[in-house]
Amino acid sequence: MKDLPPQPDANAHPIVFGLEDRVPHGTALLVGAQHVSAMVVGTITPPLLLAGALKFPPADTAYLISLALISSAIGTFLQCRRRGPVGSGLLSVTGTSFAFIGVLTQAWHAGGFALMFGLSCLTAPLQIAFSPLLRHLRGVFTPLVSGIVVLLIGLSLIPTAYFNLAVPLRPDAPPWLGLAIGAGVVAIVTVAQAVGKAWARIAGIALGVAGGVLVCALCGALKAPPAGDGAWLTPVRLLPHGFDFRWDLALPFAFVYLVSMLEAIGDMTATSQLSGLPASGPDHWRRLSGGVLADGITSTVSALFGGFPSATYAQNNGVIQLTGVASRRVGYYMAGILALLGFFPAVGRLISVVPPPVIGALAMMLFGLVAVSGLRLILSEGLGQREGLIVALSLGIGLGLPSQPGLLADLPGFVRALFESSISAGGLTALVLSMLWQRLPSA
């Protein structure tokens, strides 16, 4: 760690490595591994959820998980590399999107795998088509709207972390053990931040995870890696389940891609801010356009090879805040690790031994930091009476309406799926209110 630049005060100098800084290989690998550990569970969870609910065969489930990781590697590389108009050029990571679970389930019941991937493949280019138009919509996708979306992402994801904290580590373990181990992980990361040294910030998440795994091992709660099927490499196949399409189901898919684009704009705006870049101006909108274009390309390629849609993740913003590393070159290491996990199943099985309470504690911190990023965006241009009312209504609808699904029972399926998501319901509320309010005269 002797190559690290001096940073006596982490609060005075929040960025250890800037966007274009070259990071020592060991440091970059360590930070990249922490980014992957923060999002890998989220990447494989959508295919696991769908596999359990729709009774996929084990071989198809394993292939979907591998494709999710491979697609994440491709998308992360495109985002961080930024060649021509493709990619945001930010330290961004992509992964399988939870937003598509509803429409994918609907497509499965209507036509199986062929329809799921056919609809994904033909509607994903909508993001590609919209990407060059984003700079003309800067008056619509304001920092206020983006901030509300990011805040809702963090707030809606925090409760999911506690599902992992509540998982029993052993049949005879007391119910508080997982929470106690999670508290220990949080304490280690917090102390690493409080030390104020660059090396401690960079290694904080890894130290917390290592400490949590060690405690679980001492408690006899560390499980052996699951057995595999003997295959050492995942073969990737073009259209492995065929291809099908139905126009009546295309609209819901297209709309969810637009909502995913809104989430990506919010996530990348927060990443720009954390990287010390302005969250406005021509360069910012070129980054957003490139990021949305990369997401569209990744989702299209994923569908062609039998994988689910991808989106830019918010979790990496929490890791940037904790480590102080915003260099996009770390993304190459992230992409390499994700590719190893996807192409070599044995590597993924080793990663899977990290106990749920450790993952839950890490997720709780990172999702909370995502919410803080949203607050920063909201406050970046001031919070007057109008802005405060937009935030209040967006949070009220985004967090309240999905909690009462009975109110939405009689709506059409794709409309119901839209308002059952806190992010889409609150984000669209913010978007509509912001557009309407811009047309009203100022007091």
Side-chain angles (χ1 to χ4, degrees), residues 55-94:
K55 310 300 182 185
F56 293 165
D60 289 327
T61 302
Y63 184 79
L64 284 170
I65 292 172
S66 293
L67 252 292
L69 295 165
I70 294 169
S71 298
S72 182
I74 294 171
T76 299
F77 182 81
L78 291 178
Q79 289 287 9
C80 299
R81 183 67 174 171
R82 194 184 185 187
R83 279 293 178 264
V86 181
S88 65
L90 300 167
L91 183 53
S92 294
V93 61
T94 65

Side-chain angles (χ1 to χ4, degrees), residues 40 44 58-59 61-67 69-70 225-236 337-353:
V40 68
I44 66 175
T61 302
Y63 184 79
L64 284 170
I65 292 172
S66 293
L67 252 292
L69 295 165
I70 294 169
D229 58 2
W232 64 276
L233 184 67
T234 299
V236 177
I337 295 170
L338 288 164
L340 282 174
L341 295 177
F343 281 111
F344 298 97
V347 180
R349 289 196 297 273
L350 288 175
I351 298 295
S352 69
V353 304

Side-chain angles (χ1 to χ4, degrees), residues 83-139:
R83 279 293 178 264
V86 181
S88 65
L90 300 167
L91 183 53
S92 294
V93 61
T94 65
T96 311
S97 176
F98 284 82
F100 290 86
I101 288 179
V103 291
L104 286 169
T105 301
Q106 185 180 16
W108 164 267
H109 289 302
F113 280 125
L115 188 57
M116 291 171 71
F117 299 123
L119 287 166
S120 296
C121 184
L122 292 185
T123 52
L126 187 65
Q127 290 184 319
I128 299 175
F130 260 89
S131 62
L133 305 177
L134 289 185
R135 66 182 185 275
H136 303 297
L137 301 173
R138 63 186 69 183

Side-chain angles (χ1 to χ4, degrees), residues 134-422:
L134 289 185
R135 66 182 185 275
H136 303 297
L137 301 173
R138 63 186 69 183
V140 177
F141 299 118
T142 62
L144 176 66
V145 174
S146 299
I148 290 172
V149 171
V150 175
L151 177 59
L152 283 166
I153 291 172
L155 293 178
S156 62
L157 289 176
I158 286 173
T160 65
Y162 283 85
F163 290 115
N164 283 306
L165 289 169
V167 172
L169 290 172
R170 301 191 315 259
D172 60 337
W176 50 263
L177 181 58
L179 190 61
I181 292 173
V185 173
V186 172
I188 293 173
V189 177
T190 303
V191 169
Q193 296 295 302
V195 167
K197 301 293 184 180
W199 68 266
R201 291 186 64 195
I202 290 172
I205 296 176
L207 292 173
V209 171
V213 171
L214 177 60
V215 172
C216 289
L218 294 174
C219 295
L222 192 62
K223 299 180 180 178
D229 58 2
W232 64 276
L233 184 67
T234 299
V236 177
R237 307 186 300 273
L238 182 65
L239 296 175
H241 301 286
F243 186 91
D244 196 6
F245 185 79
R246 278 177 49 176
W247 285 105
D248 60 321
L249 296 178
L251 180 60
F253 264 85
F255 195 83
V256 177
Y257 272 113
L258 291 179
V259 172
S260 179
M261 183 180 72
L262 182 61
E263 292 182 33
I265 289 172
D267 291 338
M268 289 184 287
T269 300
T271 307
S272 296
Q273 188 183 57
L274 292 170
S275 304
L277 302 174
S280 60
D283 287 342
H284 174 66
W285 285 97
R286 276 194 289 270
R287 292 184 186 280
L288 296 185
S289 296
V292 171
L293 176 58
D295 278 352
I297 292 172
T298 303
S299 290
T300 303
V301 172
S302 179
L304 284 172
F305 289 95
F308 291 148
S310 293
T312 299
Y313 269 17
Q315 290 95 316
N316 73 297
N317 290 327
V319 180
I320 291 173
Q321 289 185 71
L322 288 175
T323 62
V325 178
S327 174
R328 63 185 178 88
R329 289 174 171 81
V330 172
Y332 308 154
Y333 293 84
M334 293 155 55
I337 295 170
L338 288 164
L340 282 174
L341 295 177
F343 281 111
F344 298 97
V347 180
R349 289 196 297 273
L350 288 175
I351 298 295
S352 69
V353 304
V354 178
V358 178
I359 296 295
L362 182 61
M364 183 269 291
M365 285 188 294
L366 296 179
F367 293 150
L369 288 170
V370 169
V372 171
S373 296
L375 286 174
R376 286 200 182 106
L377 281 172
I378 291 171
L379 297 172
S380 63
E381 295 190 352
L383 189 65
Q385 181 181 4
R386 291 186 174 188
E387 293 81 7
L389 185 57
I390 291 174
V391 173
L393 291 174
S394 300
L395 293 180
I397 293 174
L399 297 176
L401 191 57
S403 69
Q404 300 297 323
L407 298 174
L408 309 171
D410 294 331
L411 295 176
F414 73 94
V415 178
R416 185 170 64 251
L418 174 66
F419 286 101
E420 285 176 344
S421 165
S422 295

